[in-house]
Amino acid sequence: MRLTTAHTKAEALIEALPWLTRFHGATVVIKYGGNAMTDEALKSGFAEDVVFLRHAGLRPVVVHGGGPQISSALDKLGIESTFTAGLRVTTPEAMQVVRMVLVGQVNRDIVGLVNRHGPFAVGLSGEDAHLFTAVRKHAVVDGEPVDIGQVGEIIKVEPGAVGALLDDGRIPIVSSVARGDDGEIYNVNADTAAAALAVALQARKLIVLTDVEGLYANWPDDTDVIDELSADELATMMPTLSSGMVPKMEACLTAVQGGVPRAHVLDGRVPHSMLLEIFTNEGIGTMVMP
Ligand SMILES: Nc1ncnc2c1ncn2[C@@H]1O[C@H](COP(=O)(O)OP(=O)(O)O)[C@@H](O)[C@H]1O
Ligand SMILES: CC(=O)N[C@@H](CCC(=O)OP(=O)(O)O)C(=O)O
């Protein structure tokens, strides 16, 4: 009996061999989202996975959000917050809170969890070393541009600082705040920021973790998860998507169209979903290919 269990474990390990070979040295950008980071056990599991990837010879980079955490901080401070076309309307007052929560709280939490396993994680804001430069973005509602405050659209990525950390064996943990050449700071959707960084690094994969199994074909019906689709199929589907899935699938499309070979949407509620996707033959979630 004992031997059987040991064999099953050995088989699971050896199943990973071709994937370990294939992804050795590969840069993988992981978007860790607010709704997938609310459970303490899952957060620890996420940190373990990222460190596992690093020890397995990959070069993981984490770009994080923190939408629910920002909303809760704004709420406590009595600052009203609304979303237009999936983006937070960001007043100068709200921007200070966004930066404080993302850079000062969420980033520090993730860095701390990863560094339980060794001196790997280094936190960065997109403002650091000109990593993300943005301009003011307008939302489009019924075909008309709408002012949504200090929300940024990334126009330039300088990934040098991230590359240097990776070369030094570190795990960069990046907040989705950007600087503008106009001296402003900008709030950038974290899915969008992750895609921009994946393209700039020419990553082998973009992995977007969220709180659903993947892209559902007939949302709000959740019986049919799309396993894989091409960039063209996704582009056709884009106008039918709603709420939080819009920036996520847009990010996958941007990444794949920008030369990243694979983009995945995975269920962050499944323990070790990243390891299952990268190192097993089945894969999970939704995969977008060119
Ligand atoms: N076609 C779809 N497939 C899956 N989820 C969808 C779809 N359309 C809308 N959604 C919604 O998008 C949500 C994910 O977006 P969001 O809550 O912004 O995630 P996160 O906080 O992880 O960035 C899902 O929980 C689901 O409610
Ligand atoms: C412009 C905009 O909407 N920015 C987002 C940034 C954080 C984010 O994207 O967090 P999640 O990935 O957890 O949703 C916000 O203010 O909520």
Side-chain angles (χ1 to χ4, degrees), residues 141-153:
V141 179
D142 299 330
E144 294 294 322
V146 177
D147 181 11
I148 47 172
Q150 273 170 253
V151 171
E153 176 175 344

Side-chain angles (χ1 to χ4, degrees), residues 31 35 83-88 189 191-192 210-212 214-216 219-220 237-251:
K31 155 51 194 353
N35 283 316
F83 283 82
T84 299
L87 300 168
R88 189 185 306 276
N189 173 276
D191 300 311
T192 315
T210 185
D211 62 350
V212 282
L215 177 64
Y216 295 119
W219 175 258
M237 215 180 148
M238 280 307 303
T240 68
L241 298 181
S242 61
S243 65
M245 266 300 132
V246 176
K248 249 170 256 310
M249 298 320 299
E250 241 168 34

Side-chain angles (χ1 to χ4, degrees), residues 27-242:
T27 301
V28 177
V29 174
I30 303 151
K31 155 51 194 353
Y32 190 38
N35 283 316
M37 56 164 95
T38 39
D39 179 276
E40 289 306 316
L42 285 174
K43 271 163 59 177
S44 302
F46 170 79
E48 283 173 345
D49 287 3
V50 172
V51 174
F52 188 101
L53 293 182
R54 189 249 177 226
H55 285 309
L58 286 85
R59 290 155 52 100
V61 178
V62 177
V63 177
H64 68 85
Q69 292 81 351
I70 297 168
S71 296
S72 136
L74 288 169
D75 203 35
K76 275 186 202 142
L77 293 166
I79 302 171
E80 201 198 340
S81 176
T82 56
F83 283 82
T84 299
L87 300 168
R88 189 185 306 276
V89 178
T90 309
T91 60
E93 195 187 19
M95 186 65 234
Q96 292 303 324
V97 180
V98 169
R99 187 201 232 173
M100 185 177 75
V101 172
L102 291 182
V103 182
Q105 181 191 325
V106 178
N107 187 283
R108 286 298 102 200
D109 281 353
I110 302 171
V111 167
L113 286 168
V114 171
N115 284 341
R116 281 186 194 166
H117 303 276
F120 303 126
V122 178
L124 293 172
S125 162
E127 300 158 89
D128 296 340
H130 287 201
L131 180 54
F132 297 142
T133 301
V135 292
R136 203 177 174 99
K137 180 186 170 88
H138 286 85
V140 178
V141 179
D142 299 330
E144 294 294 322
V146 177
D147 181 11
I148 47 172
Q150 273 170 253
V151 171
E153 176 175 344
I154 296 177
I155 51 159
K156 193 157 158 254
V157 182
E158 273 194 32
V162 170
L165 287 170
L166 288 171
D167 290 345
D168 194 32
R170 313 287 174 190
I171 302 174
I173 314 284
V174 180
S175 306
S176 63
V177 179
R179 65 174 280 281
D181 283 329
D182 55 5
E184 289 285 14
I185 46 167
Y186 288 104
N187 180 11
V188 179
N189 173 276
D191 300 311
T192 315
L197 186 54
V199 171
L201 290 168
Q202 283 295 288
R204 290 273 289 284
K205 270 184 195 292
L206 168 68
I207 294 180
V208 182
L209 288 170
T210 185
D211 62 350
V212 282
E213 290 164 278
L215 177 64
Y216 295 119
N218 308 304
W219 175 258
D221 177 89
D222 65 357
T223 41
D224 188 8
V225 181
I226 300 175
D227 297 336
E228 54 180 62
L229 74 171
S230 69
D232 286 348
E233 285 167 336
L234 177 56
T236 311
M237 215 180 148
M238 280 307 303
T240 68
L241 298 181
S242 61

